[in-house]
Amino acid sequence: MVITSLDNEKVKKYKKLKKRKYRDEYNEFIVEGMHAVIEAFKCGMIIELILEENEALPLDCPYVYVTKEIIGKISTMDTPSTVMALCKKFDEKEVVGNKILILDELQDPGNLGTIVRSAKAFNIDTIILSENTVDMYNPKVIRATQGMMFHINIIRRDIHTIIKVLKNMNIPIYGTDVNYGVDVRDLNKKDKEKFALIVGNEGNGVRRSVLEECDKNLYIEMNSKVESLNVGVAASILLYELGK
């Protein structure tokens, strides 16, 4: 059976999930695209597949078929995928592992998605989002992670509170500050065994009140004519260096 009406209750719900308040209300979100859907399936996150009529995807989970028109209304992409999934949000976990990344008030969904992907690439165990960081279930974030959000522990916490928790776990806290930092290349092997790296807001960097709680601040040595790097690029370079 193919759902053809935009007034169908399922379709109304799917459309609502474009907005954060409804994602929070239902504790669910939509994933678009074959690759992301398969990664969600691997982790047991799918509630039901949403397929355009005549599409086929042999995954062992509930599914619904909808028209191309409905796919267009549900999608947030200019060119909608014929494969989507309704997913449940992650169960909130605690901090796991010795390599932690903290994001302080990041606002751009693309940057968050890029950083999540890099964090997985360079073996970060847990990503901690500050309370004012962009929603990790934002469709642009999900697309930019290329499915890697399903394979890393991501939690949301008050930064000042979580720093105290990490210090009690004897995890060094590294801020990022272009003016008063240590060249990340100068860290020794022991410095890289366990850490919590804090990356800040696109325009303002890490808040001063947060930097004051750090054990040391890091920076990336670069051409003096370049004032700063995109936060996604900077975070990726730092994580690469910390992973050496």
Side-chain angles (χ1 to χ4, degrees), residues 42-150:
K42 289 176 183 177
C43 297
M45 303 296 292
I46 293 180
I47 297 171
E48 61 188 9
L49 285 174
I50 305 165
L51 303 175
E52 186 178 318
E53 55 186 324
N54 301 320
E55 180 62 79
L57 186 60
L59 299 180
D60 185 16
C61 55
Y63 59 89
V64 297
Y65 285 104
V66 299
T67 62
K68 184 174 183 178
E69 180 188 16
I70 290 174
I71 284 284
K73 295 295 184 181
I74 299 170
S75 177
T76 58
M77 300 169 64
D78 292 334
T79 305
S81 171
T82 57
V83 176
M84 302 181 183
L86 176 67
C87 296
K88 60 185 177 182
K89 284 188 178 183
F90 301 108
D91 294 328
E92 273 285 303
K93 300 178 182 177
E94 296 302 320
V95 174
V96 297
N98 290 325
K99 296 186 177 183
I100 314 300
L101 177 62
I102 302 174
L103 305 180
D104 182 23
E105 300 195 345
L106 240 69
Q107 296 302 304
D108 184 86
N111 284 335
L112 176 54
T114 295
I115 291 171
V116 169
R117 196 174 175 189
S118 292
K120 183 61 183 178
F122 300 121
N123 300 310
I124 291 298
D125 300 306
T126 296
I127 298 175
I128 301 171
L129 310 181
S130 72
E131 292 177 318
N132 293 324
T133 287
V134 64
D135 180 23
M136 66 176 283
Y137 300 102
N138 179 298
K140 291 181 181 179
V141 174
I142 296 169
R143 287 200 295 274
T145 71
Q146 289 289 299
M148 291 304 99
M149 66 180 288
F150 296 109

Side-chain angles (χ1 to χ4, degrees), residues 185-238:
R185 296 173 299 179
D186 292 338
L187 296 180
N188 59 44
K189 190 172 182 179
K190 189 173 187 304
D191 292 329
K192 302 175 183 180
E193 288 177 355
K194 60 180 180 178
F195 60 82
L197 173 69
I198 306 177
V199 176
N201 172 272
E202 289 85 351
N204 302 315
V206 180
R207 286 173 290 163
R208 183 56 51 186
S209 63
V210 175
L211 287 176
E212 289 171 355
E213 296 191 54
C214 295
D215 297 303
K216 65 177 65 176
N217 294 319
L218 307 179
Y219 76 93
I220 300 164
E221 182 69 35
M222 56 188 178
N223 190 298
S224 61
K225 292 183 179 179
V226 180
E227 184 177 335
S228 63
L229 294 171
N230 168 275
V231 66
V233 173
S236 300
I237 292 170
L238 289 164

